Amino acid sequence: SMVRHRVVSGLLGVRHVSYLRGVVFDPEVSVGISDSVRFGGLSRFVPKRVIATYSADSVITIGEINRTFLIGRGIADENITVVGPVWLDEETAGLSQVEKDNPVAFFVTGAWEAHGRDAEHRAQLEVTEALATGWSDDRSFGLRVHPRDRVAYESIETYADVVIDRQLPDVFLGSLGAEDVLIAPLSTLAFEAAFRLPNILRRMFA
């Protein structure tokens, strides 16, 4: 639920519906600029609709853990609808893995900086730089870049020989080959891959 969406819907009187797709945990954790404002001294002067990160007229989410989280963030229970993980519908499962001449081991990045997690962001850069410079596997090394990971990897010399993937999630999953690998420390995409590409599960968690 982005700030600009909340502000515009408030100004125009348009109903705001938000979809929370990832799994979240502790409603007391303060992260990001809007949360810092919400829990800080400015909270008395800035409307809750603007500063409450998950504020919306209705929130659609994937599970009961998230319902608890949202209630802890001040969203009324009657405004929360749990629909389940819709990407796990039967018709989306069982993608066939394509044959590829050059298999890739993809490190799946997270949007740490976008969530105000600077230490994790720096740690991720250190890990990916180390992998990019020291990679010795028969597979090529690649980065599956989170849509909100704003690092311009393509313009950094360290990643010159790295396969950079920014395709839509479904396109990316459909492009994975039988010998491709996902390195995913924390990623919803990894669980989608494990469900839709059963053979990748062993390699992900080996």
Side-chain angles (χ1 to χ4, degrees):
S1 178
M2 302 181 74
V3 174
R4 64 174 178 267
H5 297 158
R6 300 196 298 271
V7 172
V8 170
S9 68
L11 290 174
L12 299 181
V14 177
R15 185 172 171 77
H16 178 205
V17 179
S18 176
Y19 174 48
L20 181 58
R21 175 174 177 269
V23 178
V24 289
F25 303 96
D26 186 354
E28 299 303 321
V29 172
S30 175
V31 294
I33 295 174
S34 59
D35 279 351
S36 298
V37 173
R38 178 190 177 201
F39 294 119
L42 291 177
S43 60
R44 291 173 294 173
F45 308 104
V46 183
K48 179 182 176 182
R49 186 184 190 91
V50 175
I51 59 175
T53 305
Y54 297 92
S55 177
D57 297 301
S58 294
V59 182
I60 299 169
T61 191
I62 64 171
E64 293 300 326
I65 290 176
N66 283 3
R67 182 197 295 276
T68 301
F69 173 89
L70 290 164
I71 292 172
R73 280 298 182 94
I75 307 299
D77 184 52
E78 59 267 23
N79 293 336
I80 303 169
T81 302
V82 174
V83 296
V86 295
W87 63 88
L88 300 186
D89 290 343
E90 289 185 8
E91 59 266 26
T92 68
L95 287 176
S96 59
Q97 291 173 266
V98 299
E99 294 297 326
K100 296 168 64 175
D101 294 330
N102 301 305
V104 181
F106 287 100
F107 182 97
V108 183
T109 76
W112 298 112
E113 187 178 33
H115 290 288
R117 305 295 251 179
D118 293 336
E120 288 84 350
H121 173 67
R122 291 192 298 271
Q124 178 172 268
L125 284 176
E126 290 174 4
V127 169
T128 56
E129 287 173 359
L131 288 170
T133 55
W135 191 257
S136 59
D137 192 81
D138 291 339
R139 299 176 180 84
S140 298
F141 176 62
L143 291 180
R144 164 59 195 177
V145 182
H146 190 286
R148 287 187 290 161
D149 179 358
R150 297 189 291 263
V151 177
Y153 296 101
E154 294 88 344
S155 64
I156 301 174
E157 186 175 352
T158 303
Y159 302 99
D161 296 323
V162 173
V163 179
I164 307 294
D165 188 282
R166 296 182 183 272
Q167 301 178 90
L168 293 173
D170 273 2
V171 178
F172 170 69
L173 291 175
S175 72
L176 289 173
E179 297 302 319
D180 287 340
V181 170
L182 292 186
I183 305 169
L186 178 64
S187 171
T188 306
L189 184 70
F191 288 94
E192 293 184 44
F195 180 82
R196 301 176 67 176
L197 303 165
N199 293 333
I200 209 166
L201 182 63
R202 175 182 57 83
R203 297 196 298 277
M204 281 170 47
F205 296 102

